Amino acid sequence: MIKQPPYLKKGDKIAIVCPAKKLPKPIDQGIEILQSWGLEVVLGKTVTASHHQFSGTDELRAQDIQQFLDDESIKAIIAGRGGYGTIRIIDELDFTAFNENPKWLVGFSDITILLSHALAKLNTQSIHGQMPYTFEESTPEALESLRKALFGEHNTYAYQSEIKGRDGQIEGELIGGNLTLLLAVEGSVSEMDYEGKILFLEDVGEHEYSIDRMMRTLKRKGKLANLKGLIVGAFNEIDKESIFFGQTPEEVIWELVKEYDFPVCFNFPTGHIADNRAMVLGKSVSLSVKNCNIQFKYL
């Protein structure tokens, strides 16, 4: 059985750490929002540390997360931001205490490494959602979805897509995250099981050919054929080719999955966008796609 960390309640203590890039600005507003939810916020040393582009040396970043993984009084660990660097420290972390007392791990982008590891290696749910660095630009709906995910309140998302996918209604376990980072953990202990799952994908700042290559890699590895459903989030800030590539990321993805029969939806509110809704990895969800009308809810 997949382990679900205890939901938060008012008065709980949570920690903010930066496993990857350093923060370029204070995150006071993000801290205030978390406090307004009734949470006591503890800051790790990496919130203010700096080492080249990282929030401290690899050793410091690993130690910073480790102390909160081991501290039973900390009920959730939220990444201050993403960037790059989590893969440099993931194998240095000891999850023994975490396994005995699971807690919520929260973040997106580069933090996909940590979330994927929690599900694949530790069989524990985690939350792909907004981070304090992105709170300022976040929609109220995205922040509320994170609060509800942390506190165990009912979350349902409904919207109309601008891109037609494939109709269908299914239930299953949710997996996914940033496409680049999912490819980065392929073949390692941090690789999630795709078989029979509902997969969501998002990415930012990639070349069109790179998205094409990564998606074709997933298909060649057999990761797409036996999905229960596919949720395509934001693929934004795409680096255009000097010579026209010819397909959008959405067109690339559709070409590779159109032969299958599972539901597919596009424009889902997840990724490097203001309306980045919380996605609980390892949680059972239902997905309905009908004439570009999408409904998603946690079960």
Side-chain angles (χ1 to χ4, degrees):
M1 292 291 292
I2 294 175
K3 290 180 284 188
Q4 176 184 282
Y7 289 123
L8 301 188
K9 59 184 185 301
K10 288 188 177 182
D12 277 348
K13 190 185 298 184
I14 66 170
I16 298 177
V17 298
C18 292
K21 261 190 173 181
K22 61 185 176 184
L23 288 165
K25 63 179 182 180
I27 53 171
D28 296 345
Q29 182 176 336
I31 295 169
E32 290 172 3
I33 289 172
L34 291 168
Q35 290 172 334
S36 75
W37 296 349
L39 300 171
E40 180 181 345
V41 180
V42 178
L43 302 181
K45 294 178 181 178
T46 51
V47 171
T48 54
S50 174
H51 179 72
H52 304 308
Q53 65 174 262
F54 303 110
S55 61
T57 63
D58 290 350
E59 291 75 19
L60 175 63
R61 299 199 320 282
Q63 291 168 7
D64 207 31
I65 301 176
Q66 190 66 59
Q67 68 168 323
F68 297 124
L69 288 172
D70 295 343
D71 188 341
E72 290 187 28
S73 72
I74 298 294
K75 305 304 180 184
I77 300 174
I78 300 182
R81 69 162 299 180
Y84 171 71
T86 309
I87 200 168
R88 294 169 63 105
I89 64 173
I90 188 67
D91 293 323
E92 305 306 314
L93 301 177
D94 182 351
F95 288 92
T96 303
F98 175 89
N99 242 340
E100 295 173 356
N101 295 284
K103 60 193 71 180
W104 291 106
L105 303 176
V106 183
F108 72 104
S109 191
D110 193 68
I111 311 306
T112 295
I113 297 282
L114 185 60
L115 308 185
S116 183
H117 187 84
L119 185 58
K121 180 68 174 177
L122 309 167
N123 212 33
T124 301
Q125 294 178 7
S126 60
I127 300 173
H128 178 282
Q130 295 287 47
M131 300 176 285
Y133 177 64
T134 64
F135 275 18
E136 286 185 30
E137 294 80 30
S138 178
T139 63
E141 291 81 4
L143 289 180
E144 179 65 2
S145 74
L146 176 58
R147 188 195 66 78
K148 285 184 173 181
L150 285 168
F151 282 82
E153 298 178 19
H154 184 69
N155 250 335
T156 299
Y157 311 145
Y159 73 99
Q160 186 163 14
S161 175
E162 297 175 357
I163 302 174
K164 182 172 175 55
R166 180 163 44 232
D167 289 357
Q169 184 166 348
I170 41 88
E171 295 180 357
E173 181 187 321
L174 185 67
I175 66 166
N178 181 271
L179 176 60
T180 299
L181 278 304
L182 291 177
L183 265 292
V185 298
E186 277 290 308
S188 75
V189 296
S190 306
E191 175 191 350
M192 289 182 284
D193 178 13
Y194 288 62
E195 192 78 12
K197 305 300 193 300
I198 299 174
L199 172 68
F200 75 93
L201 298 171
E202 62 85 24
D203 218 322
V204 65
E206 292 292 334
H207 285 284
E208 292 165 320
Y209 76 83
S210 180
I211 294 169
D212 183 82
R213 180 171 58 199
M214 288 188 286
M215 288 304 303
R216 290 180 184 277
T217 298
L218 283 183
K219 182 164 185 173
R220 295 186 70 224
K221 285 176 170 284
K223 304 298 183 182
L224 304 179
N226 297 314
L227 293 175
K228 269 194 173 180
L230 178 62
I231 296 170
V232 183
F235 280 76
N236 52 327
E237 298 180 27
I238 302 301
D239 285 339
K240 300 295 183 183
E241 313 300 328
S242 58
I243 301 175
F244 186 54
F245 183 73
Q247 286 180 302
T248 66
E250 291 79 10
E251 288 169 341
V252 165
I253 293 170
W254 178 246
E255 178 183 329
L256 295 175
V257 302
K258 64 184 180 182
E259 67 187 83
Y260 307 130
D261 60 1
F262 51 74
V264 179
C265 67
F266 294 93
N267 302 131
F268 196 92
T270 185
H272 290 70
I273 52 176
D275 197 21
N276 179 27
R277 306 292 179 95
M279 305 291 276
V280 184
L281 276 70
K283 182 78 171 173
S284 292
V285 303
S286 70
L287 174 68
S288 172
V289 183
K290 185 176 182 180
N291 297 326
C292 292
N293 291 307
I294 288 83
Q295 290 191 332
F296 171 99
K297 66 179 179 180
Y298 292 101
L299 302 176

